[in-house]
Amino acid sequence: MTTPTKEGSAAVQARRVLVLNSGSSSVKYQLLDMENRSRLAIGLVERIGEETSRLLHTPLTGGAATRERMGRIADHEAALKAAAEELAADGLGLDSPELASIGHRVVHGGLRFTEPTVITEEVLAEIERLVPVAPLHNPANIIGIRTAQVLRPDLPQVAVFDTAFHTTMPEYAARYAIDVETADAHRIRRYGFHGTSHAYVSRKAAELLGRTPEEVNVIVLHLGNGASASAVAGGRCVETSMGLTPLEGLVMGTRSGDIDPAVTFHLTRVAGMSVDEIDVLLNKRSGLVGLCGDNDMREIRRRIDEGDERAALAFDIYVHRLKKYIGAYSAVLGRVDAVVFTAGVGENSAPVREAAIAGLEEFGLAVDAGLNAVRSGEPRLISPDYARVAVAVVPTDEELEIAGQTFALVERLGRTAQPGQAEPLGRVDN
Ligand code: ADP
């Protein structure tokens, strides 16, 4: 975007985007220059509201080292102000006319938000209305947005929704087989999450194959602490493993993933547990941590190497679930061009990739041990040449995707804006 001067000549290129990912007690931020899609600075404020708050700020231009601030940061507003001060110290102040927009990761956009959206009061009200289906995430996202609005009220703020990429799922994939009236009254359906990552990684995978997204069918396995699978046909998501909430699907760091829903009635009746206790059990004390006490795949592999049986069983359960999803999504897609691993475990754990693909030769899938062992930050193939279906590792970059979607939207709006509408789109006269 170009910022006109009073004389009307183009003086400042507003090409920076601040990406904010606000959690309940943390804020992650990145400042990107969209001219060359490079990062200028990244940072994290954690334990907001506690005495032990910490800010870590890393400038990525000029070679300066990471700076750390310890001590209480009272709330999100104070966190963002502290981040803004750090950025300003690097000459990257948020008051700069070079800042085009602030892009916010918003976890739940329901069915309404299928695309990145400029945030208005009405949009905020809708994000608020979705709090019952995303009680942990949407309130924090709203606080982040409100705070950023105070900081730069003149800038367009854009919401990029984790659910948006999945809104293309057909009704028969998104609807649970429960009473329709009850489901609709409470907006119960499969929404899916990690959409920004699935969108980015599926597009990058097509690029890696030398094809357009429209030409390929891919299965994306986003294996971080949270984990989800998606089936993407011709660039559109047709199925994903997370549901109404991020609890469903794969085995995760601390979440159970798929489970017979009757387990919850059983625990209520037999163990006398409350709904909140079961919520904590399934979301925080299950998955890998529940199975073996560790949720870090590195630690689990180390324990397996030492002969630890609980760690080995946890690994097997994790991999077995992955295999079930690869098989199911192969059937959903009919033809698969690539299975793609991403996020912390997917990008780094060769043993998980090897075990998940082992025995799937009938599906046209195989992993080359040498290629799988290579460590790299680049998208790469790990399947042998003869394999019918490519297996790939594609590092995810949710912040770059949020920045890209945010910038594309404000540019588009900037181009179509009438002269009188220029201001809300981030044009600053100076
Ligand atoms: P999230 O964004 O969901 O918090 P990440 O995508 O950063 O998670 O993934 C974090 C997880 O990745 C860790 O819990 C750990 O299990 C795994 N991980 C990170 N590095 C490695 C590695 N070198 N080898 C195996 N697993 C790793």
Side-chain angles (χ1 to χ4, degrees):
M1 283 175 67
T2 304
T3 302
T5 62
K6 293 220 166 62
E7 295 78 41
S9 64
V12 179
Q13 299 288 314
R15 293 187 179 280
R16 289 182 190 162
V17 175
L18 178 71
V19 175
L20 285 183
N21 182 352
S22 306
S24 54
S25 64
S26 70
V27 176
K28 292 184 197 150
Y29 61 91
Q30 295 199 359
L31 184 67
L32 294 98
D33 182 344
M34 297 317 289
E35 173 127 49
N36 49 13
R37 296 168 72 82
S38 67
R39 258 165 268 257
L40 302 171
I42 61 175
L44 159 73
V45 188
E46 56 188 0
R47 298 192 289 274
I48 295 171
E50 295 178 33
E51 293 309 316
T52 57
S53 312
R54 178 167 82 141
L55 183 152
L56 279 180
H57 177 89
T58 309
L60 297 171
T61 55
T66 297
R67 300 193 291 273
E68 187 179 37
R69 275 199 209 185
M70 302 293 287
R72 183 175 162 79
I73 294 179
D75 52 25
H76 282 70
E77 190 170 338
L80 211 51
K81 284 199 172 131
E85 283 167 20
E86 293 297 335
L87 287 163
D90 298 327
L92 298 168
L94 297 184
D95 52 356
S96 164
E98 290 179 68
L99 188 63
S101 180
I102 301 179
H104 297 266
R105 176 191 183 207
V106 179
V107 168
H108 215 311
L111 286 183
R112 154 96 187 269
F113 298 115
T114 58
E115 294 193 334
T117 305
V118 173
I119 298 166
T120 60
E121 278 305 312
E122 198 254 326
V123 168
L124 264 172
E126 182 61 20
I127 298 172
E128 179 98 52
R129 232 162 60 85
L130 288 160
V131 165
V133 283
L136 296 179
H137 295 106
N138 275 27
N141 299 154
I142 293 167
I143 293 171
I145 292 166
R146 290 255 181 242
T147 309
Q149 283 176 330
V150 171
L151 222 58
R152 279 301 297 267
D154 57 316
L155 274 194
Q157 315 255 339
V158 173
V160 177
F161 298 91
D162 255 30
T163 44
F165 184 61
H166 304 303
T167 54
T168 52
M169 270 189 292
E171 187 68 6
Y172 54 76
R175 188 173 274 283
Y176 292 115
I178 63 171
D179 171 69
V180 169
E181 277 78 33
T182 307
D184 289 351
H186 301 286
R187 298 202 272 185
I188 295 169
R189 60 188 288 117
R190 174 181 308 288
Y191 293 101
F193 299 90
H194 292 146
T196 310
S197 176
H198 287 283
Y200 176 82
V201 168
S202 56
R203 221 175 47 240
K204 280 272 163 195
E207 218 173 88
L208 184 66
L209 298 178
R211 317 262 287 277
T212 66
E214 292 72 29
E215 290 170 334
V216 296
N217 289 350
V218 299
I219 296 173
V220 178
L221 302 168
H222 175 109
L223 311 178
N225 206 14
S228 63
S230 69
V232 183
R236 290 163 69 85
C237 176
V238 294
E239 178 62 282
T240 194
S241 60
M242 283 179 166
L244 171 74
T245 76
L247 180 56
E248 195 181 349
L250 300 174
V251 177
M252 310 183 208
T254 65
R255 297 186 201 125
S256 63
D258 294 338
I259 193 171
D260 181 345
V263 168
T264 58
F265 327 144
H266 187 74
L267 285 172
T268 312
R269 292 177 188 136
V270 175
M273 288 176 75
S274 70
V275 168
D276 288 342
E277 284 169 338
I278 299 171
D279 190 331
V280 170
L281 172 77
L282 297 181
N283 275 297
K284 301 244 162 72
R285 292 173 39 219
S286 295
L288 293 170
V289 99
L291 288 166
C292 74
D294 268 311
N295 64 345
D296 191 312
M297 194 51 81
R298 285 163 289 200
E299 186 57 18
I300 291 171
R301 290 303 310 175
R302 197 191 57 72
R303 284 173 54 188
I304 293 172
D305 288 343
E306 288 177 353
D308 187 317
E309 285 179 13
R310 271 181 68 191
L313 180 60
F315 183 85
D316 290 347
I317 294 170
Y318 183 93
V319 165
H320 175 71
R321 186 80 53 86
L322 269 177
K323 257 192 221 284
K324 286 210 298 192
Y325 271 90
I326 294 170
Y329 287 7
S330 298
V332 165
L333 288 170
R335 189 202 80 228
V336 183
D337 297 293
V339 173
V340 192
F341 289 88
T342 192
V345 176
E347 290 166 30
N348 296 298
S349 180
V352 165
R353 296 192 297 255
E354 184 193 330
I357 300 297
L360 298 183
E361 293 78 12
E362 287 294 320
F363 289 73
L365 287 161
V367 162
D368 178 284
L371 293 175
N372 192 31
V374 173
R375 297 194 62 82
S376 158
E378 294 298 314
R380 59 202 184 272
L381 292 174
I382 57 167
S383 44
D385 288 344
Y386 65 78
R388 187 158 42 81
V389 180
V391 182
V393 180
V394 174
T396 192
D397 195 335
E398 286 163 285
E399 289 76 17
L400 180 61
E401 180 68 15
I402 292 171
Q405 291 192 13
T406 298
F407 190 65
L409 177 59
V410 293
E411 267 212 319
R412 208 158 58 235
L413 293 174
R415 273 200 299 275
T416 54
Q418 302 304 308
Q421 294 176 321
E423 215 162 276
L425 300 174
R427 299 188 166 197
V428 184
D429 277 343
N430 61 359

